[in-house]
Amino acid sequence: MDDTILRVDNLSKVFHPAHGQPVQALKEVSFQIRRGEIFSLVGESGSGKSTTGRCVIGLESPSSGTISFSGRQMQIIFQDAVSALSPRLTIGQSVMEPLNIHRIGSRSSRKKKAFELLRLVRLDESSFYRLPSDYSGGQQQRACIARALALEPDLIIADEPVASLDVSIQAQIIGLFQKLRQERGTAFLFIAHDLSLVRRISNTIGVMRGGVLVEIGPAEQVYRHPAHPYTQSLIRAIPLPDPTLRRRSASAPGDPG
């Protein structure tokens, strides 16, 4: 049985600015994601990874290529939580918004669901009644994650979802994603620039550079035996606490240990 939930074939995207030359953001990108899989796209800023996610969810229209989704729901977690939350709505109202739009359950059941989701992302119940401006960027990001989970999507596109969080909260959110993958079969397109982070969370890693998917494979394989020189350079750039390990990494980029 084919358990592929998302298939992207030869995805290309060209932006046409009002002034200036066309910009090729994506060049024939192809990959697939299985149910319950965490697929990570990594690369430097401007590599095309966020544009890929925006095309997948329909926020950008591909110039060519195909995107096939066999699930029921798809949601996105944006990197900029401050812009993603309405300043006029309380945290609770924002989390309830998808349930209201789709008219799922009664008002009391929606409110109960919102409280459950806030607890799930480690926000106290008082946050339901407070505005986003009362909270830090990290807390606002957790509210965005709670909202993305409201409709229990089959696929979540997570665009740098933990970049604004401290290390301890990062670990909690990553643990939550892994729990959703294991218990609900939720699939993730996890977009990040930190290769050491995605190594811990991913089943599969795709490495992007200049709009091209230059390498793809199982997470440990990509990390320990990178085939592309750009992937090797990303691994060499990961800080290592032991200078001896750093020297080994620089001299043997294919096996950083």
Side-chain angles (χ1 to χ4, degrees):
M1 178 180 177
D2 185 7
D3 60 352
T4 300
I5 192 170
L6 178 73
R7 187 182 302 276
V8 176
D9 291 305
N10 300 315
L11 176 64
S12 294
K13 175 64 179 178
V14 179
F15 289 103
H16 297 274
H19 304 284
Q21 297 297 315
V23 177
Q24 179 98 48
L26 298 175
K27 304 173 185 177
E28 298 187 348
V29 173
S30 297
F31 62 88
Q32 60 186 40
I33 301 177
R34 303 184 306 275
R35 293 183 185 275
E37 178 182 18
I38 298 180
F39 180 98
S40 292
L41 280 179
V42 297
E44 61 193 359
S45 296
S47 62
K49 54 191 189 297
S50 291
T51 300
T52 300
R54 292 175 66 85
C55 286
V56 166
I57 204 166
L59 294 175
E60 298 285 356
S61 298
S63 300
S64 62
T66 60
I67 299 168
S68 303
F69 177 60
S70 60
R72 294 174 294 107
Q73 288 281 347
M74 185 191 307
Q75 294 292 324
I76 187 169
I77 303 168
F78 294 102
Q79 179 179 357
D80 185 2
V82 176
S83 299
L85 293 172
S86 170
R88 299 183 183 87
L89 298 181
T90 67
I91 295 293
Q93 289 172 328
S94 288
V95 174
M96 288 174 59
E97 191 173 25
L99 301 172
N100 293 334
I101 291 172
H102 291 271
R103 299 179 181 179
I104 296 175
S106 63
R107 177 169 177 78
S108 62
S109 68
R110 295 171 195 168
K111 188 173 182 179
K112 180 181 178 181
K113 177 75 169 180
F115 278 122
E116 291 173 354
L117 291 167
L118 291 173
R119 287 193 295 269
L120 189 63
V121 297
R122 304 296 180 91
L123 287 175
D124 58 63
E125 293 190 355
S126 66
S127 65
F128 184 93
Y129 304 99
R130 299 177 68 176
L131 293 172
S133 57
D134 295 329
Y135 288 95
S136 68
Q139 290 169 314
Q140 291 181 45
Q141 185 64 290
R142 282 185 273 167
C144 289
I145 293 170
R147 182 176 61 182
L149 297 175
L151 298 177
E152 300 183 2
D154 298 309
L155 175 67
I156 293 178
I157 298 169
D159 189 358
E160 299 275 11
V162 296
S164 62
L165 307 180
D166 62 42
V167 174
S168 62
I169 302 300
Q170 280 188 9
Q172 292 174 9
I173 297 302
I174 287 173
L176 171 61
F177 287 173
Q178 291 173 325
K179 180 179 179 181
L180 291 169
R181 177 183 70 81
Q182 293 166 357
E183 295 183 0
R184 299 186 184 180
T186 307
F188 288 84
L189 174 55
F190 191 90
I191 298 168
H193 64 275
D194 185 345
L195 191 55
S196 62
L197 171 67
V198 301
R199 178 192 185 188
R200 300 199 307 269
I201 191 175
S202 310
N203 303 103
T204 307
I205 292 176
V207 181
M208 294 199 70
R209 187 185 190 192
V212 177
L213 190 59
V214 298
E215 183 164 355
I216 187 171
E220 258 330 273
Q221 176 182 313
V222 170
Y223 191 88
R224 290 191 172 275
H225 303 287
H228 195 276
Y230 177 64
T231 311
Q232 295 168 9
S233 69
L234 289 179
I235 292 172
R236 287 198 300 271
I238 296 173
L240 295 173
D242 185 340
T244 303
L245 292 177
R246 179 176 293 281
R247 286 194 296 271
R248 282 185 56 200
S249 178
S251 61
D255 185 11

